[in-house]
Coordinates of all heavy atoms in Angstrom, one line a residue:
M258 N 82.6 -145.9 4.5 CA 83.4 -145.6 3.3 C 83.7 -146.9 2.6 O 84.1 -147.9 3.2 CB 84.8 -145.0 3.8 CG 85.7 -144.7 2.6 SD 85.1 -143.3 1.7 CE 86.5 -143.0 0.6
L259 N 83.4 -146.9 1.3 CA 83.7 -148.1 0.4 C 85.2 -148.3 0.3 O 85.9 -147.4 0.2 CB 83.0 -148.0 -0.9 CG 81.5 -147.9 -1.0 CD1 81.1 -147.6 -2.4 CD2 80.9 -149.1 -0.5
T260 N 85.6 -149.6 0.1 CA 86.9 -149.9 -0.3 C 87.0 -149.9 -1.8 O 86.0 -150.0 -2.5 CB 87.4 -151.3 0.3 OG1 86.5 -152.3 -0.4 CG2 87.2 -151.4 1.8
C261 N 88.2 -149.9 -2.3 CA 88.4 -150.0 -3.8 C 87.8 -151.3 -4.3 O 87.3 -151.3 -5.4 CB 89.9 -149.9 -4.1 SG 90.6 -148.3 -3.7
R262 N 87.9 -152.4 -3.5 CA 87.3 -153.6 -3.9 C 85.8 -153.5 -4.1 O 85.2 -154.0 -5.0 CB 87.7 -154.7 -2.9 CG 87.0 -156.0 -3.2 CD 87.5 -157.1 -2.2 NE 88.9 -157.5 -2.6 CZ 89.2 -158.7 -3.0 NH1 88.3 -159.6 -3.0 NH2 90.4 -159.0 -3.3
D263 N 85.2 -152.9 -3.1 CA 83.7 -152.6 -3.2 C 83.4 -151.9 -4.5 O 82.4 -152.3 -5.1 CB 83.2 -151.8 -2.0 CG 83.4 -152.5 -0.6 OD1 83.3 -153.7 -0.6 OD2 83.5 -151.8 0.4
V264 N 84.1 -150.9 -4.8 CA 83.9 -150.1 -6.0 C 84.0 -151.0 -7.2 O 83.1 -150.9 -8.1 CB 84.8 -148.9 -6.0 CG1 84.7 -148.2 -7.4 CG2 84.5 -147.9 -4.9
S265 N 85.0 -151.8 -7.3 CA 85.2 -152.6 -8.5 C 84.1 -153.6 -8.6 O 83.6 -153.9 -9.7 CB 86.6 -153.3 -8.5 OG 86.6 -154.3 -7.5
E266 N 83.5 -154.0 -7.5 CA 82.4 -155.0 -7.6 C 81.1 -154.3 -7.9 O 80.2 -155.0 -8.5 CB 82.3 -155.7 -6.2 CG 83.3 -156.8 -6.1 CD 83.4 -157.3 -4.6 OE1 82.7 -156.9 -3.8 OE2 84.3 -158.2 -4.4
K267 N 81.0 -153.1 -7.6 CA 79.7 -152.4 -7.9 C 79.7 -151.6 -9.2 O 78.7 -151.0 -9.6 CB 79.4 -151.4 -6.7 CG 79.0 -152.1 -5.5 CD 78.9 -151.1 -4.3 CE 79.0 -151.7 -3.0 NZ 77.8 -152.5 -2.6
T268 N 80.9 -151.5 -9.9 CA 81.0 -150.7 -11.0 C 80.0 -151.0 -12.1 O 79.4 -150.1 -12.7 CB 82.4 -150.7 -11.6 OG1 83.3 -150.2 -10.6 CG2 82.6 -149.9 -12.9
N269 N 79.8 -152.3 -12.4 CA 78.8 -152.7 -13.4 C 77.4 -152.1 -13.1 O 76.7 -151.6 -14.0 CB 78.8 -154.2 -13.6 CG 79.9 -154.6 -14.5 OD1 80.3 -153.9 -15.4 ND2 80.3 -155.9 -14.3
D270 N 77.0 -152.3 -11.9 CA 75.6 -151.9 -11.5 C 75.6 -150.4 -11.5 O 74.5 -149.8 -11.9 CB 75.3 -152.4 -10.0 CG 75.1 -153.9 -10.0 OD1 74.9 -154.5 -11.1 OD2 75.2 -154.5 -8.9
Y271 N 76.7 -149.7 -11.1 CA 76.7 -148.3 -11.1 C 76.5 -147.7 -12.5 O 75.7 -146.8 -12.8 CB 78.0 -147.8 -10.5 CG 78.3 -146.3 -10.6 CD1 77.5 -145.4 -9.9 CD2 79.3 -145.8 -11.4 CE1 77.7 -144.1 -10.0 CE2 79.6 -144.5 -11.5 CZ 78.8 -143.6 -10.8 OH 79.0 -142.2 -10.9
L272 N 77.2 -148.3 -13.5 CA 77.2 -147.9 -14.8 C 75.9 -148.3 -15.5 O 75.4 -147.6 -16.4 CB 78.4 -148.4 -15.7 CG 79.7 -147.8 -15.2 CD1 80.9 -148.4 -16.0 CD2 79.8 -146.3 -15.3
D273 N 75.3 -149.4 -15.0 CA 74.0 -149.8 -15.6 C 72.8 -148.9 -15.0 O 71.7 -149.0 -15.4 CB 73.7 -151.2 -15.2 CG 74.5 -152.2 -16.0 OD1 75.0 -151.8 -17.1 OD2 74.5 -153.4 -15.7
G274 N 73.1 -148.2 -13.9 CA 72.1 -147.4 -13.3 C 71.2 -148.2 -12.4 O 70.1 -147.8 -12.1
T275 N 71.7 -149.4 -11.9 CA 70.8 -150.2 -11.1 C 71.1 -150.1 -9.6 O 70.5 -150.8 -8.8 CB 70.9 -151.7 -11.6 OG1 72.2 -152.1 -11.5 CG2 70.3 -151.9 -13.0
L276 N 72.1 -149.3 -9.3 CA 72.5 -149.1 -7.9 C 71.4 -148.2 -7.2 O 70.9 -147.3 -7.8 CB 73.8 -148.5 -7.7 CG 75.1 -149.3 -7.6 CD1 76.3 -148.4 -7.2 CD2 74.9 -150.4 -6.6
G277 N 71.1 -148.5 -5.9 CA 70.2 -147.7 -5.2 C 70.8 -146.3 -4.9 O 72.0 -146.1 -5.2
F278 N 70.1 -145.5 -4.3 CA 70.5 -144.1 -4.0 C 71.8 -144.0 -3.1 O 72.8 -143.4 -3.5 CB 69.4 -143.3 -3.4 CG 69.8 -141.9 -3.0 CD1 69.8 -140.9 -4.0 CD2 70.3 -141.5 -1.8 CE1 70.2 -139.6 -3.7 CE2 70.7 -140.2 -1.5 CZ 70.6 -139.3 -2.5
W279 N 71.7 -144.7 -2.0 CA 72.9 -144.6 -1.0 C 74.1 -145.3 -1.6 O 75.2 -144.8 -1.5 CB 72.5 -145.1 0.4 CG 71.6 -144.0 1.0 CD1 70.3 -144.1 1.4 CD2 72.1 -142.7 1.4 NE1 69.9 -142.9 1.9 CE2 71.0 -142.0 2.0 CE3 73.3 -142.0 1.3 CZ2 71.0 -140.7 2.4 CZ3 73.3 -140.7 1.7 CH2 72.2 -140.1 2.3
P280 N 73.9 -146.6 -2.1 CA 75.2 -147.2 -2.7 C 75.8 -146.3 -3.7 O 77.0 -146.2 -3.8 CB 74.6 -148.5 -3.3 CG 73.4 -148.8 -2.5 CD 72.8 -147.5 -2.1
R281 N 74.9 -145.6 -4.6 CA 75.5 -144.8 -5.6 C 76.2 -143.6 -5.0 O 77.3 -143.2 -5.4 CB 74.3 -144.4 -6.5 CG 74.8 -143.8 -7.8 CD 73.7 -143.6 -8.8 NE 72.8 -142.5 -8.4 CZ 71.5 -142.7 -8.3 NH1 70.9 -143.8 -8.5 NH2 70.7 -141.6 -7.9
A282 N 75.6 -143.0 -4.0 CA 76.2 -141.8 -3.3 C 77.5 -142.2 -2.7 O 78.5 -141.5 -2.8 CB 75.2 -141.3 -2.3
N283 N 77.5 -143.4 -2.0 CA 78.8 -143.8 -1.4 C 79.9 -144.1 -2.5 O 81.0 -143.7 -2.3 CB 78.6 -145.1 -0.6 CG 77.9 -144.9 0.7 OD1 78.1 -143.8 1.3 ND2 77.1 -145.8 1.2
L284 N 79.5 -144.7 -3.6 CA 80.4 -144.9 -4.6 C 81.0 -143.6 -5.2 O 82.2 -143.5 -5.4 CB 79.7 -145.8 -5.7 CG 80.7 -146.5 -6.7 CD1 80.2 -147.9 -7.1 CD2 80.9 -145.6 -7.9
R285 N 80.1 -142.7 -5.4 CA 80.6 -141.4 -6.0 C 81.5 -140.7 -5.0 O 82.5 -140.0 -5.4 CB 79.4 -140.5 -6.3 CG 78.5 -141.1 -7.4 CD 77.4 -140.1 -7.8 NE 77.9 -139.3 -8.9 CZ 77.1 -139.0 -10.0 NH1 75.8 -139.4 -9.9 NH2 77.5 -138.4 -11.0
M286 N 81.2 -140.8 -3.7 CA 82.1 -140.2 -2.7 C 83.5 -140.8 -2.8 O 84.5 -140.1 -2.8 CB 81.5 -140.5 -1.3 CG 82.2 -139.9 -0.2 SD 82.0 -138.1 -0.2 CE 80.4 -137.9 0.5
H287 N 83.5 -142.2 -2.9 CA 84.8 -142.8 -3.1 C 85.5 -142.4 -4.3 O 86.7 -142.1 -4.3 CB 84.6 -144.4 -3.1 CG 85.9 -145.1 -3.2 ND1 86.4 -145.8 -2.1 CD2 86.8 -145.3 -4.2 CE1 87.6 -146.3 -2.4 NE2 87.8 -146.1 -3.7
L288 N 84.8 -142.2 -5.4 CA 85.4 -141.8 -6.7 C 86.0 -140.4 -6.5 O 87.0 -140.1 -7.2 CB 84.4 -141.8 -7.8 CG 83.9 -143.1 -8.3 CD1 82.9 -143.0 -9.5 CD2 85.0 -144.0 -8.7
L289 N 85.4 -139.5 -5.7 CA 85.9 -138.2 -5.5 C 87.3 -138.2 -4.9 O 88.1 -137.4 -5.1 CB 85.0 -137.4 -4.6 CG 83.8 -136.7 -5.3 CD1 82.9 -136.0 -4.2 CD2 84.2 -135.7 -6.3
L290 N 87.5 -139.2 -4.0 CA 88.7 -139.3 -3.2 C 89.7 -140.2 -3.8 O 90.9 -140.2 -3.3 CB 88.3 -139.8 -1.8 CG 87.3 -138.9 -1.1 CD1 86.9 -139.6 0.2 CD2 87.8 -137.5 -0.8
C291 N 89.4 -141.1 -4.7 CA 90.3 -142.1 -5.1 C 90.5 -142.1 -6.6 O 89.7 -142.4 -7.4 CB 89.8 -143.5 -4.7 SG 90.8 -144.9 -5.2
K292 N 91.7 -141.6 -7.0 CA 92.0 -141.5 -8.5 C 92.1 -142.9 -9.2 O 91.8 -143.0 -10.3 CB 93.2 -140.7 -8.7 CG 94.5 -141.3 -8.3 CD 95.7 -140.4 -8.6 CE 97.0 -141.2 -8.2 NZ 98.2 -140.4 -8.4
H293 N 92.5 -143.9 -8.4 CA 92.6 -145.2 -9.0 C 91.2 -145.7 -9.5 O 91.0 -146.2 -10.6 CB 93.2 -146.2 -8.1 CG 94.6 -145.8 -7.6 ND1 95.6 -145.9 -8.5 CD2 95.1 -145.4 -6.5 CE1 96.7 -145.5 -7.9 NE2 96.4 -145.2 -6.7
C294 N 90.2 -145.5 -8.6 CA 88.9 -145.9 -8.9 C 88.3 -145.0 -10.0 O 87.5 -145.5 -10.9 CB 88.0 -146.0 -7.7 SG 88.4 -147.4 -6.6
R295 N 88.6 -143.8 -10.0 CA 88.1 -142.9 -11.1 C 88.6 -143.4 -12.4 O 87.9 -143.4 -13.4 CB 88.6 -141.4 -10.8 CG 87.7 -140.6 -9.9 CD 87.9 -139.1 -10.2 NE 89.3 -138.7 -10.0 CZ 89.9 -138.3 -8.9 NH1 89.1 -138.4 -7.8 NH2 91.1 -137.9 -8.8
A296 N 89.9 -143.7 -12.4 CA 90.5 -144.2 -13.7 C 89.8 -145.5 -14.1 O 89.5 -145.7 -15.3 CB 92.0 -144.4 -13.5
F297 N 89.6 -146.4 -13.2 CA 88.9 -147.7 -13.4 C 87.5 -147.5 -14.0 O 87.2 -148.0 -15.0 CB 88.9 -148.5 -12.2 CG 88.2 -149.8 -12.3 CD1 88.7 -150.8 -13.0 CD2 86.9 -149.9 -11.7 CE1 88.0 -152.0 -13.1 CE2 86.2 -151.1 -11.8 CZ 86.7 -152.1 -12.5
V298 N 86.7 -146.7 -13.3 CA 85.3 -146.5 -13.7 C 85.3 -145.8 -15.0 O 84.5 -146.1 -15.9 CB 84.5 -145.7 -12.6 CG1 83.1 -145.3 -13.1 CG2 84.4 -146.6 -11.4
G299 N 86.2 -144.8 -15.2 CA 86.3 -144.1 -16.5 C 86.6 -145.0 -17.7 O 86.0 -144.9 -18.7
Q300 N 87.5 -146.0 -17.4 CA 87.9 -147.0 -18.4 C 86.7 -147.9 -18.8 O 86.4 -148.2 -19.9 CB 89.0 -147.8 -17.9 CG 89.6 -148.8 -18.8 CD 90.9 -148.4 -19.3 OE1 91.7 -148.0 -18.6 NE2 91.1 -148.3 -20.6
M301 N 86.0 -148.3 -17.7 CA 84.8 -149.1 -18.0 C 83.7 -148.4 -18.8 O 83.1 -148.9 -19.7 CB 84.2 -149.5 -16.6 CG 85.0 -150.5 -15.8 SD 84.8 -152.1 -16.4 CE 83.1 -152.5 -15.9
Q302 N 83.5 -147.1 -18.4 CA 82.6 -146.3 -19.1 C 82.9 -146.1 -20.5 O 82.1 -146.2 -21.4 CB 82.5 -144.9 -18.4 CG 81.2 -144.2 -18.4 CD 81.1 -143.2 -17.4 OE1 82.2 -142.7 -16.9 NE2 79.9 -142.8 -16.9
A303 N 84.2 -145.8 -20.8 CA 84.7 -145.7 -22.2 C 84.5 -147.0 -23.0 O 84.1 -146.9 -24.1 CB 86.2 -145.3 -22.2
T304 N 84.7 -148.1 -22.3 CA 84.6 -149.4 -23.0 C 83.1 -149.6 -23.4 O 82.8 -150.0 -24.5 CB 85.0 -150.5 -22.1 OG1 86.4 -150.3 -21.7 CG2 85.0 -151.9 -22.8
I305 N 82.2 -149.3 -22.4 CA 80.8 -149.5 -22.7 C 80.3 -148.5 -23.8 O 79.6 -148.9 -24.7 CB 80.0 -149.2 -21.3 CG1 80.2 -150.4 -20.4 CG2 78.5 -149.1 -21.6 CD1 79.8 -150.1 -19.0
R306 N 80.8 -147.3 -23.7 CA 80.4 -146.3 -24.8 C 80.9 -146.8 -26.2 O 80.2 -146.7 -27.2 CB 81.0 -145.0 -24.5 CG 80.2 -144.2 -23.6 CD 80.4 -142.7 -23.8 NE 80.0 -142.0 -22.6 CZ 80.9 -141.4 -21.7 NH1 82.1 -141.3 -22.0 NH2 80.4 -140.8 -20.6
F307 N 82.1 -147.3 -26.2 CA 82.7 -147.8 -27.4 C 81.8 -148.9 -28.0 O 81.5 -148.9 -29.2 CB 84.1 -148.3 -27.2 CG 84.8 -148.8 -28.4 CD1 85.5 -148.0 -29.2 CD2 84.7 -150.2 -28.8 CE1 86.1 -148.4 -30.4 CE2 85.3 -150.6 -29.9 CZ 86.0 -149.8 -30.7
I308 N 81.4 -149.8 -27.1 CA 80.6 -151.0 -27.6 C 79.2 -150.5 -28.1 O 78.8 -150.9 -29.1 CB 80.4 -152.0 -26.4 CG1 81.8 -152.7 -26.1 CG2 79.4 -153.0 -26.7 CD1 81.8 -153.5 -24.9
D309 N 78.6 -149.5 -27.3 CA 77.3 -149.0 -27.7 C 77.5 -148.3 -29.1 O 76.6 -148.5 -29.9 CB 76.9 -147.9 -26.7 CG 76.3 -148.5 -25.4 OD1 76.1 -149.8 -25.4 OD2 76.1 -147.8 -24.5
R310 N 78.5 -147.5 -29.2 CA 78.6 -146.8 -30.5 C 78.9 -147.7 -31.7 O 78.4 -147.4 -32.8 CB 79.8 -145.8 -30.3 CG 79.7 -144.6 -31.3 CD 80.9 -143.7 -31.1 NE 81.0 -143.2 -29.7 CZ 82.1 -143.1 -29.0 NH1 83.2 -143.4 -29.6 NH2 82.1 -142.7 -27.8
H311 N 79.6 -148.7 -31.5 CA 80.0 -149.6 -32.6 C 79.0 -150.8 -32.7 O 79.2 -151.6 -33.7 CB 81.4 -150.0 -32.4 CG 82.4 -148.9 -32.6 ND1 82.7 -148.1 -31.5 CD2 83.1 -148.5 -33.6 CE1 83.6 -147.2 -32.0 NE2 83.8 -147.4 -33.2
G312 N 78.1 -150.8 -31.9 CA 77.1 -151.9 -32.0 C 77.6 -153.3 -31.8 O 77.0 -154.2 -32.4
Y313 N 78.7 -153.4 -31.1 CA 79.2 -154.8 -30.9 C 78.3 -155.5 -29.9 O 77.8 -154.9 -28.9 CB 80.6 -154.7 -30.3 CG 81.7 -154.3 -31.2 CD1 82.9 -153.8 -30.7 CD2 81.5 -154.3 -32.6 CE1 83.9 -153.4 -31.6 CE2 82.4 -153.8 -33.5 CZ 83.6 -153.4 -33.0 OH 84.6 -153.0 -33.8
T314 N 78.1 -156.8 -30.1 CA 77.4 -157.6 -29.2 C 78.4 -158.6 -28.7 O 78.9 -159.5 -29.5 CB 76.2 -158.3 -29.8 OG1 75.4 -157.3 -30.4 CG2 75.4 -158.9 -28.7
L315 N 78.8 -158.6 -27.5 CA 79.8 -159.5 -26.9 C 79.1 -160.6 -26.1 O 78.1 -160.3 -25.5 CB 80.8 -158.8 -26.0 CG 81.7 -157.7 -26.7 CD1 82.6 -157.1 -25.6 CD2 82.5 -158.3 -27.8
M316 N 79.6 -161.8 -26.2 CA 79.1 -162.8 -25.4 C 79.6 -162.5 -23.9 O 80.6 -161.8 -23.8 CB 79.7 -164.2 -25.8 CG 79.4 -164.6 -27.2 SD 77.6 -164.7 -27.4 CE 77.2 -166.2 -26.5
P317 N 78.8 -162.9 -22.9 CA 79.2 -162.5 -21.6 C 80.6 -162.8 -21.2 O 81.3 -162.0 -20.6 CB 78.2 -163.3 -20.7 CG 77.0 -163.5 -21.6 CD 77.5 -163.6 -23.0
E318 N 81.1 -164.0 -21.7 CA 82.5 -164.4 -21.3 C 83.5 -163.5 -22.0 O 84.7 -163.5 -21.7 CB 82.7 -165.9 -21.5 CG 82.6 -166.3 -22.9 CD 81.1 -166.8 -23.2 OE1 80.2 -166.4 -22.6 OE2 81.0 -167.7 -24.2
E319 N 83.1 -162.8 -23.1 CA 84.0 -161.9 -23.8 C 84.0 -160.5 -23.2 O 84.8 -159.7 -23.7 CB 83.6 -161.9 -25.3 CG 83.9 -163.2 -26.0 CD 83.4 -163.1 -27.4 OE1 82.3 -162.7 -27.7 OE2 84.3 -163.5 -28.3
L320 N 83.1 -160.2 -22.4 CA 83.0 -158.8 -21.8 C 84.4 -158.4 -21.2 O 84.9 -159.2 -20.5 CB 81.9 -158.7 -20.8 CG 80.5 -158.5 -21.4 CD1 79.5 -158.5 -20.3 CD2 80.4 -157.1 -22.1
P321 N 84.8 -157.2 -21.4 CA 86.1 -156.8 -20.9 C 86.1 -156.6 -19.4 O 87.2 -156.4 -18.8 CB 86.5 -155.5 -21.7 CG 85.1 -155.0 -22.0 CD 84.2 -156.2 -22.2
S322 N 85.0 -156.6 -18.8 CA 84.9 -156.1 -17.4 C 85.7 -157.0 -16.4 O 86.4 -156.6 -15.5 CB 83.5 -156.0 -16.9 OG 82.8 -157.2 -17.0
K323 N 85.7 -158.3 -16.7 CA 86.3 -159.2 -15.7 C 87.8 -159.1 -15.7 O 88.4 -158.9 -14.6 CB 85.9 -160.7 -16.0 CG 85.8 -161.5 -14.8 CD 85.1 -162.8 -15.0 CE 85.0 -163.6 -13.7 NZ 84.4 -164.9 -13.9
P324 N 88.5 -159.2 -16.8 CA 90.0 -158.9 -16.8 C 90.3 -157.6 -16.2 O 91.3 -157.4 -15.5 CB 90.4 -159.0 -18.2 CG 89.3 -159.7 -19.0 CD 88.1 -159.5 -18.2
L325 N 89.5 -156.5 -16.5 CA 89.8 -155.2 -16.0 C 89.7 -155.2 -14.5 O 90.5 -154.6 -13.8 CB 88.7 -154.2 -16.6 CG 89.2 -153.4 -17.8 CD1 88.0 -152.5 -18.2 CD2 90.4 -152.5 -17.4
V326 N 88.6 -155.8 -14.0 CA 88.4 -155.9 -12.5 C 89.6 -156.6 -11.9 O 90.1 -156.2 -10.9 CB 87.1 -156.6 -12.2 CG1 87.0 -156.9 -10.7 CG2 85.9 -155.7 -12.6
E327 N 90.0 -157.7 -12.5 CA 91.1 -158.5 -12.0 C 92.4 -157.7 -12.0 O 93.1 -157.7 -11.0 CB 91.3 -159.8 -12.8 CG 90.4 -160.9 -12.3 CD 90.4 -161.1 -10.8 OE1 91.5 -161.2 -10.2 OE2 89.3 -161.1 -10.2
A328 N 92.7 -157.0 -13.1 CA 93.9 -156.3 -13.2 C 93.9 -155.1 -12.2 O 94.9 -154.9 -11.5 CB 94.0 -155.7 -14.6
F329 N 92.7 -154.6 -12.0 CA 92.6 -153.5 -11.0 C 92.8 -154.0 -9.6 O 93.5 -153.4 -8.8 CB 91.2 -152.9 -11.1 CG 90.9 -151.8 -10.2 CD1 91.4 -150.5 -10.4 CD2 90.2 -152.1 -9.0 CE1 91.1 -149.5 -9.5 CE2 90.0 -151.1 -8.1 CZ 90.4 -149.8 -8.3
R330 N 92.2 -155.1 -9.3 CA 92.4 -155.7 -8.0 C 93.8 -156.0 -7.7 O 94.3 -155.8 -6.6 CB 91.6 -157.0 -7.8 CG 90.1 -156.7 -7.5 CD 89.4 -158.0 -7.2 NE 88.0 -157.7 -7.1 CZ 87.1 -158.5 -7.5 NH1 87.4 -159.6 -8.1 NH2 85.8 -158.1 -7.4
Q331 N 94.5 -156.6 -8.7 CA 95.9 -157.0 -8.5 C 96.7 -155.7 -8.2 O 97.6 -155.7 -7.4 CB 96.4 -157.7 -9.7 CG 96.0 -159.2 -9.7 CD 96.2 -159.8 -11.1 OE1 96.8 -159.3 -12.0 NE2 95.6 -161.0 -11.2
R332 N 96.5 -154.7 -9.0 CA 97.2 -153.4 -8.8 C 96.9 -152.8 -7.5 O 97.8 -152.4 -6.8 CB 96.8 -152.4 -9.9 CG 97.5 -152.7 -11.2 CD 97.2 -151.7 -12.3 NE 97.5 -150.3 -11.7 CZ 97.3 -149.2 -12.4 NH1 96.7 -149.2 -13.6 NH2 97.6 -148.1 -11.8
A333 N 95.6 -152.8 -7.1 CA 95.3 -152.3 -5.8 C 95.9 -153.1 -4.7 O 96.4 -152.5 -3.7 CB 93.7 -152.3 -5.6
A334 N 95.9 -154.4 -4.8 CA 96.5 -155.3 -3.8 C 98.0 -155.0 -3.7 O 98.6 -155.1 -2.6 CB 96.2 -156.7 -4.1
A335 N 98.7 -154.7 -4.8 CA 100.1 -154.5 -4.8 C 100.4 -153.1 -4.4 O 101.6 -152.7 -4.3 CB 100.7 -154.8 -6.2
G336 N 99.4 -152.3 -4.2 CA 99.6 -150.9 -3.8 C 100.3 -150.1 -5.0 O 101.1 -149.2 -4.8
D337 N 100.0 -150.5 -6.2 CA 100.7 -150.0 -7.4 C 100.4 -148.5 -7.5 O 99.3 -148.0 -7.3 CB 100.2 -150.7 -8.6 CG 101.1 -150.5 -9.8 OD1 102.3 -150.1 -9.6 OD2 100.7 -150.8 -10.9
R338 N 101.4 -147.8 -7.9 CA 101.3 -146.4 -8.3 C 101.8 -146.2 -9.7 O 102.8 -147.0 -10.1 CB 102.1 -145.5 -7.4 CG 101.6 -145.5 -6.0 CD 100.6 -144.4 -5.8 NE 100.1 -144.3 -4.4 CZ 99.2 -145.2 -3.9 NH1 98.8 -146.2 -4.5 NH2 98.8 -145.0 -2.6
P339 N 101.3 -145.3 -10.5 CA 101.9 -145.1 -11.8 C 103.4 -144.7 -11.7 O 103.7 -144.0 -10.8 CB 101.1 -143.9 -12.4 CG 99.8 -143.8 -11.6 CD 100.2 -144.4 -10.2
R340 N 104.1 -145.3 -12.6 CA 105.6 -145.1 -12.5 C 106.0 -144.4 -13.8 O 105.5 -144.6 -14.8 CB 106.3 -146.5 -12.5 CG 106.6 -146.9 -11.0 CD 107.2 -148.3 -11.0 NE 106.4 -149.1 -10.1 CZ 106.0 -150.4 -10.4 NH1 106.4 -150.9 -11.5 NH2 105.3 -151.0 -9.6
P341 N 107.1 -143.6 -13.7 CA 107.6 -143.0 -14.9 C 108.2 -144.0 -15.8 O 108.7 -145.0 -15.3 CB 108.7 -142.0 -14.4 CG 109.0 -142.5 -13.0 CD 107.8 -143.2 -12.5
P342 N 108.2 -143.8 -17.1 CA 108.8 -144.8 -18.0 C 110.3 -144.9 -17.8 O 110.9 -144.0 -17.4 CB 108.6 -144.3 -19.4 CG 108.0 -142.9 -19.3 CD 107.7 -142.7 -17.8
E343 N 110.8 -146.2 -17.9 CA 112.3 -146.4 -17.7 C 113.1 -145.9 -18.8 O 112.7 -146.0 -20.0 CB 112.5 -147.9 -17.5 CG 111.4 -148.5 -16.5 CD 112.0 -149.3 -15.5 OE1 113.1 -149.8 -15.6 OE2 111.4 -149.5 -14.4
Ligands
LIG61 ZN1 89.4 -146.6 -4.8

């Protein structure tokens, strides 16, 4: 079973379609069970679609994936759960 960290590290390859059969199957299995990773991968996918649709070309250092991955890791490390607004 993949950890959330594994998923965040493989998300780019997963969305690029460059993951092999078993890594992809394992990742999808994790996504079925983990709503945090589903949200993360969904966000990445939406970002990539947005860029595709609008024809933006970002420099690698401007790609949103890194801050997203970092934010996700920090939340996962803190055991964060969505909270109701105060
Ligand atoms: Zn997860």
Side-chain angles (χ1 to χ4, degrees):
M258 181 72 173
L259 296 177
T260 64
C261 294
R262 173 175 287 245
D263 294 332
V264 171
S265 71
E266 280 166 2
K267 289 174 200 289
T268 296
N269 277 331
D270 290 342
Y271 174 65
L272 295 176
D273 284 347
T275 56
L276 269 189
F278 179 82
W279 284 114
R281 195 170 69 235
N283 282 331
L284 195 144
R285 293 185 97 139
M286 184 70 78
H287 184 102
L288 291 182
L289 278 177
L290 302 172
C291 179
K292 68 177 180 182
H293 299 291
C294 287
R295 274 204 303 277
F297 173 73
V298 172
Q300 185 105 49
M301 289 282 287
Q302 211 160 21
T304 304
I305 289 167
R306 277 207 201 109
F307 181 89
I308 291 168
D309 282 349
R310 197 178 310 137
H311 293 81
Y313 290 162
T314 309
L315 296 177
M316 300 303 287
E318 61 268 26
E319 292 177 309
L320 279 174
S322 57
K323 212 168 184 182
L325 263 178
V326 169
E327 274 315 305
F329 178 79
R330 277 189 189 142
Q331 281 162 14
R332 285 185 51 183
D337 196 17
R338 294 272 183 283
R340 267 175 235 137
E343 315 227 337

